Amino acid sequence: MISFPKEFVFGWSQSGFESEMGTPGSEDSNSDWYIWTHDLENIVSGLTVEDYPENGPGYWGNYESYHKNAVDMNLEVMRTNTEWSRIFPKPTTEVKVDVEVKNGCVTYVDVSESALKKLDQLANKRAVEHYRRIFNDAKERDLKFILNMYHWTLPTWIHDPLAVRRGMKTEKSGWLNIRTVIEFIKYVAYVSWKFDDLVDMYSTMNEPNVIWRNGYIFVNSRFPPAYLSFDCANIVRYNLIQAHARAYDILKSYKKPVGVIYAAPYIMPLTESDKEAASRAKIDYIWFFFDAIVDGKIDEEVRDDLRGRVDWIGVNYYTREVIKRLKNNRYTIVKGYGHYCESSSKSLDGRPTSDWGWECYPEGLYNVLLEFWDRYHLPMYVTENGIADKEDRLRPHYLVSHLYQVHRALQSGVSVKGYLHWTLVDTYEFSIGRSMRFGLIYVDYATKKLYWRLSAFLYKEIAENKAITDRIEYLVQESS
């Protein structure tokens, strides 16, 4: 038996946009992702698929069923987010707050009690009240609750991704505009003010590195605004760092742990001669952000207002990225490994791949956890780990083999506090729609009925025993 500590928690993660819509009255048409997925030019060009979020799994209306299934699975913790566009479908720019901005640096934002009351007048009360019902139901079932503030979607009054994609000048440029940092802090202050009594831990945002890389560099990834510009990517990265730090300041006033959740593939070289390039890729994609919020180091300067702005790190791990050096100190990601394989096949390394073409590489999770621990020595949660596998063919091995790597990290002295699977129920996966099914539970999208996959029973056994039990330990090595 491979046992985990008694205090180690098992749970699941999900996001608002991907899970909420699907039942009558659940539609939220006020986010950038909503208009992005409905845009005809995007659909025709292949930037999105003709599949719409309002046909999603229906958590907004069926949250009680989700929570009951989670408790039946012996899960202890959930992570989800409020949707900014649901809370504030209309602009909050008229609400004045105390702000210090110096040379593009947002060093201070304070949202007073009077400002919060003004925000309360602008908020969508029906959405606020419904979120309270959802979160209260989770707490009544003794689920620990991690409230994440931001999972990729922005209100349309602050981001018009179609205008940005077309190269049009617009004030609604999302994270390219420093005002988004300030408006985000208003939103964070309001949400925490309304829901803190139900929250155990906070996360400021989910995978900010995906926002700047997929939106402005890997534009074929179908993420808004699909505007190719390294300069824009750097601006967005900088503003997201500032947004995290200022959100941390607000949330920390509630005396609860505040973290950030980050996409963390294991970045490795193709050959020995590619080691330096892989190190550079790791700095660009991962360490740049964390060096800023841990040590205050950013663009060859040290900012005290950024330093020490994280209590815990959420690691989202799915697979690896293999790096090859190019000329002029550049690098590229090698196709045939990691996220860049053919679906339901084998990688160039002979490893199985998911329905989405993501390579199964469990040992990368151990390496990522060890690297974070050695560099920052901060406690971690694995906040996402899962596989698109409609037939549940690979998920049993994927689940157990990755949990084994978490156990290895614990044995190596790494502080890992819990594991949250992505995800409990199949979701609408942003730009790819409903075709990629990550759920432990299958959802019939027509009826919204939920059916346990075999891997759900497997996860239940692990969570119930806090262990990979003897009768399933063989799955650590099995890979077919």
Side-chain angles (χ1 to χ4, degrees):
M1 185 178 299
I2 301 169
S3 298
F4 291 83
K6 289 182 179 179
E7 63 274 14
F8 190 91
V9 294
F10 293 92
W12 86 98
S13 286
Q14 64 186 46
S15 85
F17 182 82
E18 293 174 283
S19 63
E20 287 177 356
M21 287 183 269
T23 54
S26 65
E27 300 81 8
D28 174 19
S29 61
N30 298 304
S31 76
D32 55 352
W33 267 98
Y34 188 93
I35 64 171
W36 186 256
T37 56
H38 286 77
D39 181 66
L40 182 60
E41 291 176 341
N42 281 344
I43 294 169
V44 171
S45 67
L47 273 177
T48 60
V49 295
E50 194 173 5
D51 190 7
Y52 303 113
E54 59 266 36
N55 299 321
Y59 177 71
W60 192 255
N62 294 332
Y63 61 88
E64 291 175 318
S65 179
Y66 276 59
H67 298 165
K68 181 181 184 304
N69 275 281
V71 171
D72 289 346
M73 213 177 289
N74 291 105
L75 304 188
E76 303 164 88
V77 57
M78 66 173 285
R79 184 264 291 191
T80 192
N81 64 287
T82 49
E83 286 289 292
W84 187 352
S85 53
R86 281 195 192 274
I87 301 291
F88 292 115
K90 296 180 180 179
T92 54
T93 49
E94 66 185 56
V95 178
K96 303 303 180 185
V97 296
D98 293 331
V99 180
E100 289 182 5
V101 181
K102 301 175 182 177
N103 300 319
C105 301
V106 184
T107 58
Y108 175 82
V109 182
D110 181 63
V111 184
S112 66
E113 185 79 13
S114 61
L116 288 169
K117 290 178 180 178
K118 290 177 182 177
L119 289 168
D120 198 36
Q121 293 173 2
L122 294 173
N124 178 348
K125 294 299 197 306
R126 292 183 64 185
V128 172
E129 291 166 2
H130 194 73
Y131 274 126
R132 174 159 285 278
R133 285 192 289 271
I134 291 174
F135 302 156
N136 190 62
D137 183 77
K139 295 303 294 182
E140 286 182 348
R141 298 175 194 269
D142 292 324
L143 288 166
K144 184 176 182 179
F145 179 38
I146 302 174
L147 178 57
N148 179 45
M149 290 293 169
Y150 170 64
H151 197 126
W152 297 355
T153 58
L154 293 171
T156 52
W157 55 265
I158 211 162
H159 189 212
D160 181 349
L162 304 179
V164 178
R165 191 201 71 206
R166 294 167 183 151
M168 299 167 60
K169 287 187 177 182
T170 175
E171 286 295 307
K172 300 177 182 180
S173 55
W175 292 109
L176 286 168
N177 192 328
I178 202 168
R179 77 163 183 147
T180 302
V181 177
I182 298 165
E183 296 306 314
F184 177 65
I185 302 311
K186 295 177 190 178
Y187 157 71
V188 167
Y190 179 79
V191 169
S192 54
W193 182 59
K194 298 299 287 189
F195 299 120
D196 179 70
D197 60 307
L198 300 173
V199 175
D200 295 287
M201 298 169 59
Y202 287 105
S203 166
T204 58
M205 54 186 65
N206 176 82
E207 297 184 341
N209 47 341
V210 173
I211 297 296
W212 78 68
R213 189 167 78 161
N214 287 20
Y216 299 90
I217 299 175
F218 295 163
V219 294
N220 290 331
S221 64
R222 301 173 171 178
F223 276 60
Y227 185 80
L228 179 58
S229 169
F230 287 5
D231 288 341
C232 287
N234 287 332
I235 292 169
V236 169
R237 178 172 64 175
Y238 193 85
N239 282 336
L240 283 163
I241 289 170
Q242 298 194 105
H244 162 80
R246 300 290 72 81
Y248 177 93
D249 292 343
I250 295 292
L251 296 172
K252 199 59 188 172
S253 67
Y254 293 101
K255 311 298 183 185
K256 293 175 182 176
V258 181
V260 64
I261 295 169
Y262 213 77
Y266 178 53
I267 298 174
M268 61 183 292
L270 178 64
T271 68
E272 286 292 315
S273 64
D274 301 305
K275 276 188 172 181
E276 186 178 339
S279 295
R280 197 176 307 115
K282 203 168 294 186
I283 291 169
D284 289 345
Y285 195 50
I286 300 176
W287 304 147
F288 186 95
F289 188 97
F290 282 96
D291 284 355
I293 66 173
V294 175
D295 300 319
K297 298 176 182 177
I298 186 167
D299 286 340
E300 299 182 357
E301 67 172 321
V302 176
R303 284 178 54 180
D304 288 337
D305 68 290
L306 299 181
R307 189 203 309 266
R309 261 59 178 195
V310 62
D311 302 327
W312 61 275
I313 297 170
V315 172
N316 289 358
Y317 177 85
Y318 291 91
T319 186
R320 60 176 167 172
E321 286 186 358
V322 177
I323 301 297
K324 180 180 179 180
R325 66 185 177 92
L326 300 174
K327 295 179 181 179
N328 302 320
N329 291 321
R330 299 292 184 179
Y331 54 84
T332 189
I333 299 172
V334 182
K335 303 296 191 292
Y337 303 96
H339 294 98
Y340 303 95
C341 305
E342 295 296 322
S343 64
S344 304
S345 63
K346 299 283 185 179
S347 70
L348 291 179
D349 206 18
R351 294 167 180 264
T353 66
S354 72
D355 294 349
W356 207 339
W358 295 3
E359 179 188 29
C360 296
Y361 193 79
E363 57 267 45
L365 177 54
Y366 170 80
N367 295 332
V368 165
L369 293 170
L370 207 63
E371 287 179 343
F372 267 104
W373 180 249
D374 287 345
R375 193 172 181 103
Y376 302 115
H377 222 68
L378 286 168
M380 286 172 279
Y381 288 79
V382 177
T383 39
E384 285 185 27
N385 179 244
I387 185 170
D389 183 20
K390 181 179 180 180
E391 302 301 327
D392 211 36
R393 182 174 59 90
L394 297 176
R395 190 175 290 106
H397 162 68
Y398 186 98
L399 173 63
V400 175
S401 62
H402 283 78
L403 277 169
Y404 173 70
Q405 298 300 328
V406 175
H407 182 268
R408 281 186 65 207
L410 287 164
Q411 294 297 105
S412 297
V414 179
S415 178
V416 188
K417 301 296 187 180
Y419 173 93
L420 284 70
H421 193 76
W422 186 272
T423 183
L424 183 68
V425 177
D426 294 329
T427 66
Y428 178 91
E429 289 286 328
F430 282 101
S431 60
I432 204 68
R434 296 173 295 171
S435 61
M436 296 301 156
R437 291 178 175 261
F438 282 82
L440 294 160
I441 297 174
Y442 174 91
V443 60
D444 182 330
Y445 281 107
T447 65
K448 311 305 176 189
K449 290 184 178 179
L450 307 181
Y451 303 93
W452 284 35
R453 291 185 167 99
L454 291 178
S455 54
F457 293 95
L458 190 69
Y459 195 36
K460 173 183 170 67
E461 173 154 338
I462 293 168
E464 186 174 13
N465 293 281
K466 300 258 186 189
I468 300 171
T469 55
D470 291 341
R471 62 180 177 176
I472 60 174
E473 191 173 330
Y474 73 95
L475 288 167
V476 169
Q477 300 299 331
E478 181 184 284
S479 57
S480 59

